[in-house]
Amino acid sequence: MKKLTFTLFFALMAVVVFAQDAKKDKRIEEDAIEAKAEFLEDDPSMESFFGSSYGYIILPNVGKGGFGIGGAAGNGVAYQEGSKIGYAKMTQVTIGFQAGGQAYSEVVFFENKEAFDRFKNSKVEMSAQVSAVAAASGASLNAKYVDGVAVFTRTKGGLMYEASVGGQQFKFRED
């Protein structure tokens, strides 16, 4: 009887966790749609990146903070040729002069299948040489892919003073 109760308890917990994950994923999807609209509102010419990239990820809510040592993290949605194929998780650790906290949205475009496959295999680590372009009217007109990747950010709030070095790492999870 104890074994059956124990098994039922863990089965019930698994269902609860799954339901919470599904609810969280749905919220991330809704936020990603809203973030895309906000990026396009700031810079309508960014539509060319959305239309021509092989794939992209939208991280609608990234939190960043630090004091000497810092970090950032966010969850998002991965799209291939315009269709949702899964989810992305971004983490970042930075070292250097930094103080404060900030919230922002980020879109990472992948120029071709090779670059997108690196992301899907969790082998995309963006370092200092891949710099993000702040979304603003016309900003995407001069943006270029670096190693098959182009990054745009949109500040949502907070204030961060920063002169630091660090890299972003991405993990992919299929839908």
Side-chain angles (χ1 to χ4, degrees), residues 1-2 10 12 27 32 36 41 77 79-80 88-89 94-95 102 107 110 112 117 121 128-129 135 152-153 158 161 164:
M1 185 66 171
K2 275 185 166 181
F10 279 106
L12 180 61
R27 183 68 188 153
K36 180 179 179 180
E41 183 179 321
V77 182
Y79 299 86
Q80 183 174 342
K89 181 178 185 82
T94 53
I95 298 173
Q102 188 176 46
V107 179
F110 299 95
N112 51 43
D117 285 347
N121 292 318
Q129 62 263 32
F152 294 87
T153 62
Y161 296 100
S164 61

Side-chain angles (χ1 to χ4, degrees), residues 94-121:
T94 53
I95 298 173
F97 175 75
Q98 55 194 324
Q102 188 176 46
Y104 62 95
S105 298
E106 181 172 329
V107 179
V108 181
F109 293 100
F110 299 95
E111 184 175 25
N112 51 43
K113 182 180 184 327
E114 178 186 357
F116 196 64
D117 285 347
R118 283 195 323 262
F119 156 69
K120 286 174 35 181
N121 292 318

Side-chain angles (χ1 to χ4, degrees), residues 28-141:
I28 292 168
E29 290 173 33
E30 292 168 356
D31 288 351
I33 291 167
E34 186 177 316
K36 180 179 179 180
E38 290 168 347
F39 273 102
L40 290 172
E41 183 179 321
D42 288 349
D43 185 0
S45 60
M46 193 181 289
E47 183 62 51
S48 66
F49 272 92
F50 282 106
S52 66
S53 66
Y54 184 84
Y56 57 90
I57 58 176
I58 300 175
L59 301 152
N61 300 303
V62 178
K64 180 178 189 176
F67 189 78
I69 297 174
N75 294 300
V77 182
Y79 299 86
Q80 183 174 342
E81 298 176 341
S83 298
K84 180 184 74 118
I85 63 160
Y87 300 91
K89 181 178 185 82
M90 182 277 291
T91 56
Q92 177 181 15
V93 175
T94 53
I95 298 173
F97 175 75
Q98 55 194 324
Q102 188 176 46
Y104 62 95
S105 298
E106 181 172 329
V107 179
V108 181
F109 293 100
F110 299 95
E111 184 175 25
N112 51 43
K113 182 180 184 327
E114 178 186 357
F116 196 64
D117 285 347
R118 283 195 323 262
F119 156 69
K120 286 174 35 181
N121 292 318
S122 300
K123 293 186 178 177
V124 169
E125 294 183 17
M126 293 189 306
S127 58
Q129 62 263 32
V130 178
S131 59
V133 175
S137 183
S140 65
L141 294 174

Side-chain angles (χ1 to χ4, degrees), residues 6 16 32 51 56 59-60 64 76-77 87 100 102 104 146-147 149 154 159-162 168:
F6 190 70
V16 169
Y56 57 90
L59 301 152
K64 180 178 189 176
V77 182
Y87 300 91
Q102 188 176 46
Y104 62 95
V146 176
D147 294 328
V149 179
R154 183 178 184 280
L159 186 59
M160 183 89 179
Y161 296 100
E162 183 174 29
Q168 292 184 342

